[in-house]
Amino acid sequence: MNHTENHKFSLTTPLYYVNGVPHIGSAYTTMVADAIARFHRLQGKSVLLVTGTDEHGQKIQRTAAEENVEPQVHCDRIVESFKSLWDKLDIKYDRFIRTTDPQHKQIVNEFFARVWEQDDIYLDRQQGWYCVSCEEFKEERDLIEDHYCAIHTNKQAEWRDEENYFFRLSKYQQQLEKLYESQPDFIQPASRRNEVLNFVQQGLKDFSISRIDLDWGFPIPIDDQHTIYVWFDALLGYITALLDPDQAPTLDNALAKWWPIDLHLIGKDILRFHAVYWPAMLASAGLPLPSKVFGHGFLTKDGLKMGKTLGNTIDPIELVDRYGADAVRYYFLKEIELGNDGDFNETRFINVLNNDLADVLGNSLNRTLGMLKKYCQSTVPQLSSADFSSDHPLKSIGMTLGDRVVQAYENLQVSQACTAVLTLVRAVNKYIDDSAPWKLFKQEQHSEVEQILYAVLESIRLSAYLLSPVIPSTSSKIYQQLGFDWDFNQEQENSQGAFSTHSNWGELPMSKALGQASPVFLKLELPSKD
RNA sequence: GUCAGAGUAGCUCAGUUGGUUAGAGCAUCGGACUCAUAAGCCGAGGGUCGGGAGUUCAAGUCUCCCCUCUGACACCA
C-alpha cells in the first residue's frame, strides 16, 4: 500500500432535488458517503465530502407555486430539513452546496463560456412531449396512454415546440468510449458499466441544455430568453462546492485544490448523467475527469418497491428519531451490499442491531469490564502483541484484520468491512467462554486471567476503531470506556499517524485504569402496533 | 424482442481456476455454564444449490434449452 501519495480524497453525494423532504434513498447515499469519508479521514488524509441541493427547474417552480411561496422560500425550507437530517445521522459533510448559491452562477457562466468557445453549444429547434417531473423531453414510446409519463404515471407530458440550446454530446462519443476502456473502474459496479457501454455504443445524441418559459434558473449567458437546463446546472455544483468560503468564484479557484473528484457516489437512476453527460461536459471544458462514478442500488421495503401510491415509504427522519443514528447507519451499511438493491424490514432491522451491536459487540465489552473490575481492580494489564503467540485465537485474527478492513473500505465494500470485524468480536465471545477466566480466577491463576482480559479488550478496541466510520457514537463510547479520550465525531488533533497503531492488534498502549462500565448500545424494540 | 445480471437453508447472503458428508449470520428448538445488556457458549433441525438435458472419473461451479425476477436498450400499439 502506498502511503506517500493519496493524501487527499474528495467525494460527492448527488445534489438532492428539493422537490420534497429527504427520502430514505437520499439518506442511504449520504450515509454511505459519510462512512467512506470517515474511513479516509481515519487514515489521516484530508477529505472533502460534498453534498448539497439542486434547486432549480420547473418542477420546483411549480411546487412552490402550489404552496403559494416564492421558489427560494420553498427551497430554503426543504434545505433545512436536509441539513437537520444529516445532523441527526451524524453526517460530517465538508461542503453543502446549493445551486442557488450566488457563487454558483459565476461558475456556471464561466463553464458555459468555455464550452461555448469549443463550439459545443448550438441553437436548434426541439419539438416533443415534455415531462416536467423528469425535466426531460420524451420520445412517444416512453409514454403510456394519453401521453402520461411512464415514470410519473400521474403526470401528463406536455407538448412543447421550442428552440433550445444543445450540447454537442455526439462529438464525445469516441472520447467517452476510450475513457471507459482505459479506465475500467470509472463506472462501478461492473453491471452498471455494461449498461452505460451498451447505451453509448448505440450512438449518442446531442442533448438540450436550455429551456424557455422557465424563470427559476440561470439564464443562458448569451441569450436571456433561455434558462439553463437543471441538470447542466446541477452537475456543475460539484465544482462550485470546491471553492473555499472566502474565495472568489472562478473556475481556477474552484479547481485548484480538490479537483478532480475521486468518487461520485450516486443512485443508479442518475447514472447516465454522471457517467456520460458529465465527463463529456468536462472534456469539452478541458477539465480532467473524476476517477470513479459508483451507482448504488435501490431500497425496497418488505420486498416491495417504495412509492407514494403504495404508501409504504420509509421516513428517514422518523427512523433516526426512533432508533438513533448508529442503528440506522449500521443497518443500511452492513445489511445492504453497496451496488445491489437492498431491503428494509423492521424486524430484521431490530434483530440485526440487537445481535450485532448489543449482544455481540456491546455485551462483549460489558462482560469483560465486569471481570476486569472483579479480578483486576479495573486495572488493564500492560501487555502487548509480543506477549501472545501468533496462533492465539484473537491475535491471529486481529493481526490481519486491519489490512482486510482497509481493503474492503477502499473497494467500497463497507458491508464486508463490518462482517470482517464482527468475526473478531464473535471470536472474542467464544474465546471468553472457552477460557473461562472466572474459573481461572478461583484457581488463582491471575496472570492467565490478565492475559485473557487484555487480549479481549484489545480485540474489542480494534473492532470499535475499524467500525467507527459506520457507528461513530458507539465506537466512541467503547473507546471512552477503555480509557481513551477519544471521540470519533470530532477531528482528532493527533490523528496524523494514529491509524498505523490504532488499526493494529496489540501495538497501542492501553490506558491503565478504567472507569465505570455501562452498555454502549441499548437494545431496540419494535414499536407496539396500536 | 436484444443484451447484461440474478435465481443456494424461513430471511439476508458466501461459495476460489469443476474435486471429500454445500457454508455463515439471523430466526426456530434443545443442552451445559455464569463474567455480562435473560447476553454469550455448545448442539440440533432445516437445502432435489430455479427446472431439464449434456460434457466429465467428478458440476452449485462448464455447455445447451426452458421458467422467473431485475436492469439497460429497442420495436409495436
Side-chain angles (χ1 to χ4, degrees):
Chain A
M1 229 160 293
N2 195 337
H3 293 286
T4 56
E5 56 189 42
N6 301 334
H7 292 302
K8 290 192 296 188
F9 191 82
S10 55
L11 74 168
T12 69
T13 74
L15 306 188
Y16 301 109
Y17 206 54
V18 291
N19 201 37
V21 294
H23 55 78
I24 191 70
S26 315
Y28 175 57
T29 318
T30 309
M31 288 189 282
V32 173
D34 182 64
I36 302 291
R38 282 174 182 266
F39 163 71
H40 285 280
R41 286 194 204 103
L42 204 60
Q43 291 184 304
K45 297 181 195 170
S46 37
V47 171
L48 194 80
L49 171 56
V50 171
T51 190
T53 46
D54 173 12
E55 308 186 6
H56 289 134
Q58 196 148 35
K59 196 162 29 163
I60 300 297
Q61 192 172 11
R62 292 194 181 175
T63 305
E66 281 164 24
E67 293 169 3
N68 259 319
V69 296
E70 289 299 308
Q72 190 66 61
V73 173
H74 165 82
C75 292
D76 290 349
R77 283 182 193 162
I78 301 290
V79 162
E80 275 320 298
S81 67
F82 273 91
K83 287 187 171 171
S84 134
L85 178 60
W86 300 160
D87 237 32
K88 286 173 192 274
L89 286 170
D90 285 330
I91 308 294
K92 299 285 176 204
Y93 53 84
D94 300 286
R95 296 290 155 78
F96 192 105
I97 174 71
R98 301 179 56 177
T99 55
T100 54
D101 285 339
Q103 70 272 27
H104 183 53
K105 185 175 182 178
Q106 313 263 18
I107 295 293
V108 170
N109 285 346
E110 198 181 334
F111 190 91
F112 185 96
R114 285 210 195 181
V115 177
W116 178 262
E117 281 158 23
Q118 293 302 309
D119 192 29
D120 281 345
I121 294 173
Y122 61 93
L123 188 65
D124 200 2
R125 168 173 219 138
Q126 183 162 39
Q127 280 185 329
W129 296 95
Y130 190 80
C131 173
V132 173
S133 292
C134 297
E135 300 280 12
E136 252 183 0
F137 278 94
K138 294 289 183 181
E139 302 290 324
E140 189 96 19
R141 62 165 183 271
D142 293 329
L143 301 171
I144 54 180
E145 265 178 59
D146 286 335
H147 300 106
Y148 277 83
C149 173
I151 298 167
H152 304 90
T153 50
N154 55 339
K155 302 271 179 168
Q156 201 168 13
E158 303 167 9
W159 178 256
R160 299 276 180 92
D161 179 359
E162 58 192 45
E163 289 208 305
N164 284 328
Y165 286 91
F166 281 75
F167 172 69
R168 241 181 260 285
L169 181 64
S170 55
K171 179 173 152 188
Y172 293 92
Q173 168 104 22
Q174 284 199 332
Q175 215 170 320
L176 286 172
E177 284 172 344
K178 254 181 222 159
L179 162 70
Y180 305 142
E181 195 188 339
S182 65
Q183 227 176 295
D185 283 354
F186 179 69
I187 304 165
Q188 288 198 322
S191 54
R192 298 265 132 66
R193 175 172 182 267
N194 288 338
E195 289 174 15
V196 173
L197 289 182
N198 213 327
F199 172 76
V200 173
Q201 275 161 12
Q202 299 187 12
L204 293 173
K205 288 186 198 144
D206 298 346
F207 72 101
S208 69
I209 57 166
S210 77
R211 298 287 184 267
I212 55 174
D213 298 332
L214 170 65
D215 302 326
W216 187 238
F218 298 136
I220 292 275
I222 42 134
D223 183 347
D224 61 10
Q225 296 301 301
H226 289 257
T227 299
I228 292 185
Y229 174 48
V230 60
W231 265 105
F232 194 86
D233 161 0
L235 288 164
L236 292 172
Y238 294 138
I239 293 179
T240 307
L242 306 181
L243 286 166
D244 285 335
D246 50 354
Q247 265 182 322
T250 66
L251 266 184
D252 282 346
N253 282 342
L255 299 167
K257 184 168 178 194
W258 292 100
W259 192 262
I261 299 291
D262 290 296
L263 170 66
H264 288 302
L265 190 64
I266 57 168
K268 63 184 181 183
D269 52 331
I270 51 176
L271 183 62
R272 192 181 297 174
F273 292 104
H274 287 79
V276 182
Y277 295 6
W278 181 226
M281 286 163 58
L282 292 167
S284 171
L287 303 185
L289 305 182
S291 311
K292 189 178 287 188
V293 175
F294 192 105
H296 66 66
F298 276 175
L299 302 173
T300 56
K301 186 180 183 195
D302 303 323
L304 299 172
K305 276 187 184 173
M306 280 183 278
K308 280 173 193 162
T309 43
L310 274 173
N312 65 339
T313 53
I314 301 166
D315 178 0
I317 299 171
E318 201 179 301
L319 200 64
V320 67
D321 281 346
R322 183 182 300 155
Y323 296 118
D326 278 15
V328 174
R329 295 169 63 104
Y330 187 80
Y331 181 85
F332 285 104
L333 295 173
K334 155 82 184 341
E335 282 299 295
I336 292 165
E337 193 69 44
L338 189 70
N340 295 345
D341 287 353
D343 189 53
F344 177 85
N345 172 277
E346 201 155 7
T347 302
R348 188 174 141 212
F349 177 92
I350 301 281
N351 282 339
V352 163
L353 288 156
N354 285 349
N355 275 284
D356 287 5
L357 298 192
D359 297 345
V360 173
L361 179 62
N363 188 50
S364 68
L365 175 66
N366 203 239
R367 64 193 299 205
T368 308
L369 290 179
M371 289 188 276
L372 193 75
K373 187 175 180 186
K374 282 186 191 166
Y375 307 151
C376 307
Q377 295 76 48
S378 292
T379 303
V380 184
Q382 294 303 298
L383 302 171
S384 73
S385 182
D387 299 304
F388 298 83
S389 75
S390 55
D391 62 353
H392 182 275
L394 298 185
K395 179 182 172 181
S396 62
I397 300 174
M399 273 190 331
T400 60
L401 185 66
D403 285 343
R404 282 181 288 136
V405 168
V406 165
Q407 203 51 245
Y409 276 116
E410 281 181 351
N411 295 333
L412 306 181
Q413 295 166 327
V414 182
S415 170
Q416 287 184 25
C418 294
T419 305
V421 175
L422 260 285
T423 304
L424 174 60
V425 190
R426 292 210 171 84
V428 159
N429 277 319
K430 179 173 168 54
Y431 174 67
I432 295 173
D433 280 66
D434 287 351
S435 48
W438 47 92
K439 282 185 188 158
L440 298 174
F441 181 72
K442 283 174 191 159
Q443 295 161 8
E444 301 196 351
Q445 296 182 280
H446 295 298
S447 71
E448 282 80 357
V449 170
E450 289 188 352
Q451 278 247 344
I452 293 164
L453 296 187
Y454 172 86
V456 165
L457 290 174
E458 174 58 5
S459 300
I460 295 170
R461 180 206 60 75
L462 176 63
S463 302
Y465 186 75
L466 296 173
L467 286 176
S468 68
V470 178
I471 48 169
S473 300
T474 305
S475 288
S476 296
K477 285 183 195 163
I478 293 174
Y479 252 57
Q480 283 155 20
Q481 288 191 25
L482 287 173
F484 295 96
D485 178 21
W486 200 275
D487 182 349
F488 289 102
N489 279 314
Q490 304 294 320
E491 292 284 339
Q492 301 297 330
E493 46 312 321
N494 56 345
S495 63
Q496 281 294 340
F499 188 81
S500 58
T501 50
H502 283 254
S503 67
N504 279 313
W505 195 93
E507 289 190 12
L508 178 70
M510 282 254 197
S511 127
K512 280 197 101 148
L514 303 188
Q516 195 62 37
S518 76
V520 293
F521 186 91
L522 294 174
K523 287 207 176 191
L524 307 176
E525 282 177 26
L526 272 173
S528 56
K529 289 183 179 173
D530 293 329

